[in-house]
């Protein structure tokens, strides 16, 4: 484990006892003069060696050159960047940092443009996980300091304290989310997760409400209650509220927090169950993003709704054919107990509308294995009733480094997949080959209510939530940046949208003689 610091200036150091990595895109590295980084090299590298090393870099896709033993390195990020990638090349930056970490006290000097500072700083945070159960892991023995050289035309600028504050808050959020996802259910069950929520509420001085166990059933939240009722740690809905007097918006971020997913009675195969501690990735990201946004001054009312459950097997486990009564008032016939995430989120989004009066709702979840097939390991799938929000989210994903890509929004084509003879709907599709990612999201949307005219965005980040055997903290940067125009922080506003995305409902119209009318979604 390592502590992480950010600095806007370079402090003198010697690679003999403090390793240094100088990294950036080649077009930026060639603008460096030896004097710009000389203080990091402790007199062990001369100008000719530095210039020769820069000239020897031929990134395909990356390249690196040792300046002094293994303790001083210069590295170049990929030259090419497609329109669906992030200009910061932050995914490659994370890999380079992991490969070059030396342990102890070390420095990473990032050379980039100001608009890439946010994504680049968080790329380092993803390379430094907080959780470890190894017997030789010690706390506080390592410190990584990230220093920035900001390229502005032909000069090098510095970051100010407000920008550094943004990096610290966002990196803390990313590492918190990754820690929660990395921890096994034995150490991060629903009770432990609620404790994390309460700690965040105490730190931010915001209100928190916990609805747990039988109280969920009494309130009519059959989705969350049914999924988690067989576990020794009862299910819970945790609501954090940052309330701004006279705000013009009420925004809800809703996260799926399945602390472990056995699949329920439709139990997963042996190989498919390993790694299911990560099924709380959506709730972890929402918690980390909420902490980040509020710390940096969120100008509107914001709620984080965390839907927490352990989808366990036991005498009380819900069965296929059971009928669940959701908080939305709709009944659901269970035909797959392993399609549980949409059940807990259905209650979460309904609560956002009915109890909190939210008109902008984002739900985030490790929802479907099909997501990784549809949009891959790096891009989450997004589904929304708001075309402007879809376009904005795609752009912000490239800006902040949490990439996304839209999937089809066609409820009139796909909602029939959930038809039931005895209930309002089933919880899993009839045809798994028919836009499964879209269908899973549409199930959640159906519990917003027929008259919901606000903006809804669903983010399925099952594959980007982890890389190898480690969590990535995906989603924290995306949520914070997507609503960056509501922040008081200048760096978050820089990576955020240029103007607020206003509610425009479903973007669906019906052409009839009397003129266009909105179709009510079912």
């Amino acid at each position: 484990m390592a502590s992480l610091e950010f600095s806007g200036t370079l402090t003198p150091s010697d690679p003999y006892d403090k390793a240094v990595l100088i990294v950036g895109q080649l077009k930026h590295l060639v603008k460096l003069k030896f004097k710009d980084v000389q203080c990091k090299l402790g007199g062990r590298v001369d100008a000719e060696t530095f210039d020769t090393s820069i000239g020897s870099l031929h990134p395909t896709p990356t390249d690196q050159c040792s300046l002094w033993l293994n303790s001083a390195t210069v590295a170049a990020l990929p030259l090419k960047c497609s329109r669906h990638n992030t200009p910061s090349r932050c995914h490659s930056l994370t890999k380079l940092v992991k490969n070059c970490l030396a342990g102890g006290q070390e420095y990473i000097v990032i050379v980039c443009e100001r608009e890439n500072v946010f994504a680049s700083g968080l790329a380092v945070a993803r390379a430094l996980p907080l959780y470890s159960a190894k017997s030789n892991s010690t706390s506080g023995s390592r410190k990584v300091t990230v220093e920035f050289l900001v390229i502005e035309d032909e000069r090098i600028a510095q970051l100010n304290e407000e920008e550094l504050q943004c990096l610290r808050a966002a990196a803390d959020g990313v590492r918190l989310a990754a820690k929660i996802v990395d921890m096994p259910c034995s150490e991060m069950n629903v009770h432990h997760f609620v404790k994390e929520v309460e700690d965040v509420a105490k730190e931010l001085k915001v209100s928190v409400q916990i609805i747990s166990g039988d109280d969920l059933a009494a309130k009519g939240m059959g989705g969350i209650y049914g999924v988690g009722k067989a576990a020794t740690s009862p299910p819970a809905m945790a609501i954090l509220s940052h309330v701004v007097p006279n705000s013009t918006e009420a925004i809800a971020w809703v996260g799926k927090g399945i602390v472990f997913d056995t699949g329920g009675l439709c139990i997963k195969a042996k190989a498919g169950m390993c790694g299911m501690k990560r099924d709380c990735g959506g709730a972890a990201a929402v918690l980390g993003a909420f902490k980040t946004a509020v710390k940096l001054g969120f100008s509107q009312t914001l709620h984080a709704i965390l839907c927490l459950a352990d989808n366990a097997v036991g005498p009380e486990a819900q069965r296929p054919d059971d009928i669940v009564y959701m908080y939305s008032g709709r009944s659901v016939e269970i035909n797959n107990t392993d399609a549980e995430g949409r059940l807990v989120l259905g209650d979460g989004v309904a609560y956002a509308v009915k109890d909190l009066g939210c008109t902008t709702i984002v739900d985030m979840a490790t929802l479907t294995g099909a997501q990784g097939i549809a949009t891959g390991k790096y891009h989450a799938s997004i589904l929304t009733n708001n075309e402007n929000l879809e376009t904005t989210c795609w752009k912000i994903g490239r800006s902040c480094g949490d990439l996304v890509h839209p999937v089809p929004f066609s409820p009139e084509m796909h909602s029939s997949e959930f038809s039931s003879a005895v209930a309002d709907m089933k919880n899993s599709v009839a045809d798994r080959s028919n836009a499964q990612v879209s269908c899973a999201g549409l199930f959640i949307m159906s519990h917003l209510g027929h008259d919901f005219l606000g903006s809804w965005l669903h983010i399925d980040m099952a594959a980007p939530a982890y890389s190898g055997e480690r969590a990535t903290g995906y989603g924290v940067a995306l949520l914070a940046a997507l609503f960056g125009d509501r922040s008081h922080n200048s760096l978050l506003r820089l990576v955020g949208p240029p103007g607020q995305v206003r509610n425009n409902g479903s973007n669906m119209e019906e052409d009839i003689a009397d003129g266009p009318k909105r179709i009510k979604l079912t």
Side-chain angles (χ1 to χ4, degrees):
M1 295 183 290
S3 62
L4 177 61
E5 298 289 340
F6 293 95
S7 175
T9 58
L10 270 59
T11 55
S13 63
D14 188 335
Y16 178 80
D17 54 11
K18 294 181 176 65
V20 60
L21 167 67
I22 302 169
V23 60
Q25 296 178 40
L26 191 57
K27 64 180 180 180
H28 299 143
L29 292 175
V30 296
K31 293 183 179 181
L32 289 182
K33 296 180 175 59
F34 178 65
K35 64 178 183 179
D36 296 327
V37 296
Q38 186 175 2
C39 68
K40 305 303 302 179
L41 301 173
R44 301 184 185 278
V45 180
D46 57 27
E48 181 180 2
T49 301
F50 180 77
D51 292 340
T52 301
S53 297
I54 295 290
S56 70
L57 294 172
H58 299 286
T60 54
T62 61
D63 195 13
Q64 61 191 71
C65 180
S66 175
L67 295 170
W68 188 76
L69 302 178
N70 290 323
S71 296
T73 305
V74 60
L77 296 169
L79 295 173
K80 297 180 180 180
C81 178
S82 66
R83 62 190 176 92
H84 288 149
N85 195 1
T86 167
S88 66
R89 282 78 161 170
C90 62
H91 299 88
S92 295
L93 178 56
T94 299
K95 293 176 183 178
L96 277 171
V97 169
K98 286 182 178 180
N99 290 335
C100 294
L101 286 174
Q105 310 292 305
E106 53 194 309
Y107 289 90
I108 299 169
V109 178
I110 298 177
V111 187
C112 66
E113 296 172 331
R114 193 173 298 272
E115 55 264 34
N116 291 331
V117 164
F118 184 77
S120 299
L122 298 191
V124 178
R126 294 186 186 96
L128 298 168
L130 286 172
Y131 177 74
S132 176
K134 293 187 176 183
S135 58
N136 62 354
S137 62
T138 55
S139 178
S141 62
R142 294 182 59 200
K143 180 181 178 180
V144 176
T145 302
V146 182
E147 301 174 334
F148 284 89
L149 294 175
V150 180
I151 303 296
E152 290 185 349
D153 297 324
E154 298 302 318
R155 74 184 189 94
I156 294 178
Q158 298 179 352
L159 297 181
N160 59 41
E161 182 57 33
E162 183 182 11
E163 292 167 321
L164 293 172
Q165 181 187 14
C166 178
L167 288 172
R168 294 178 190 125
D172 180 48
V174 167
R175 298 180 83 197
L176 170 64
K179 181 195 78 169
I180 291 172
V181 174
D182 274 338
M183 295 179 74
C185 188
S186 57
E187 299 177 35
M188 186 53 65
N189 61 24
V190 173
H191 173 76
H192 299 130
F193 206 128
V194 168
K195 180 64 167 57
E196 293 281 353
V197 173
E198 292 173 337
D199 288 346
V200 169
K202 183 177 180 180
E203 179 181 348
L204 299 178
K205 296 181 174 60
V206 300
S207 64
V208 59
Q209 181 183 6
I210 309 297
I211 307 170
S212 178
D214 291 340
D215 290 341
L216 290 168
K219 196 169 176 62
M221 295 183 176
I224 299 179
Y225 180 73
V227 170
K229 66 181 180 177
T232 54
S233 181
M237 178 185 285
I239 305 102
L240 289 160
S241 296
H242 165 71
V243 179
V244 177
N246 302 316
S247 62
T248 59
E249 291 182 285
I251 300 164
W253 296 344
V254 186
K256 172 189 172 183
I258 304 299
V259 293
F260 194 82
D261 183 17
T262 65
L265 292 183
C266 300
I267 198 162
K268 295 179 183 291
K270 177 178 64 175
M273 205 180 296
C274 292
M276 284 299 105
K277 64 178 183 178
R278 305 187 189 109
D279 216 12
C280 62
V286 166
L287 181 62
F290 181 87
K291 184 178 180 181
T292 300
V294 174
K295 267 189 172 182
L296 297 177
F298 202 82
S299 63
Q300 302 294 330
T301 293
L302 176 65
H303 304 281
I305 303 172
L306 309 177
C307 307
L308 310 175
D310 179 356
N311 190 20
V313 174
E316 298 297 320
Q318 65 182 0
R319 300 165 294 268
D321 295 341
D322 280 357
I323 303 293
V324 170
Y325 297 92
M326 305 286 289
Y327 193 55
S328 64
R330 307 194 77 187
S331 59
V332 178
E333 178 186 2
I334 303 299
N335 64 337
N336 183 359
T337 62
D338 197 20
E340 83 298 330
R342 63 200 69 181
L343 292 169
V344 304
L345 289 174
D347 278 348
V349 298
Y351 184 88
V353 174
K354 293 173 65 175
D355 290 54
L356 302 177
C358 296
T359 54
T360 301
I361 298 173
V362 180
D363 73 76
M364 180 172 283
T366 52
L367 201 66
T368 65
Q371 178 275 309
I373 298 170
T375 55
K377 295 180 179 179
Y378 300 104
H379 297 73
S381 297
I382 59 171
L383 181 75
T384 175
N385 67 346
N386 184 320
E387 185 177 359
N388 293 334
L389 185 54
E390 177 183 286
T391 302
T392 300
C393 189
W394 175 77
K395 291 180 178 178
I396 297 305
R398 296 181 70 241
S399 176
C400 72
D402 280 348
L403 296 168
V404 304
H405 199 277
V407 293
F409 176 79
S410 298
E412 70 277 25
M413 293 180 174
H414 296 140
S415 294
S416 60
E417 291 288 343
F418 297 103
S419 296
S420 168
V422 295
D424 292 325
M425 60 198 308
K426 293 182 179 180
N427 75 312
S428 190
V429 293
D431 183 358
R432 295 175 66 86
S433 64
N434 184 21
Q436 193 177 160
V437 179
S438 295
C439 290
L442 291 173
F443 179 96
I444 298 165
M445 189 193 73
S446 70
H447 296 279
L448 288 171
H450 296 297
D451 56 350
F452 181 71
L453 299 179
S455 292
W456 164 77
L457 171 68
H458 165 64
I459 304 169
D460 188 342
M461 34 75 86
Y466 68 99
S467 177
E469 295 188 12
R470 278 296 195 174
T472 60
Y474 181 97
V476 174
L478 180 61
L479 287 176
L482 183 59
F483 292 84
D485 55 343
R486 280 83 160 181
S487 176
H488 297 307
N489 185 274
S490 60
L491 183 59
L492 203 52
R493 290 198 303 270
L494 176 65
V495 295
Q500 291 185 10
V501 180
R502 298 300 178 181
N503 294 333
N504 69 342
S506 68
N507 284 332
M508 296 178 65
E509 294 182 343
E510 181 180 12
D511 295 321
I512 58 176
D514 295 335
K517 291 185 179 179
R518 190 181 307 278
I519 293 177
K520 290 184 178 180
L521 302 178
T522 58

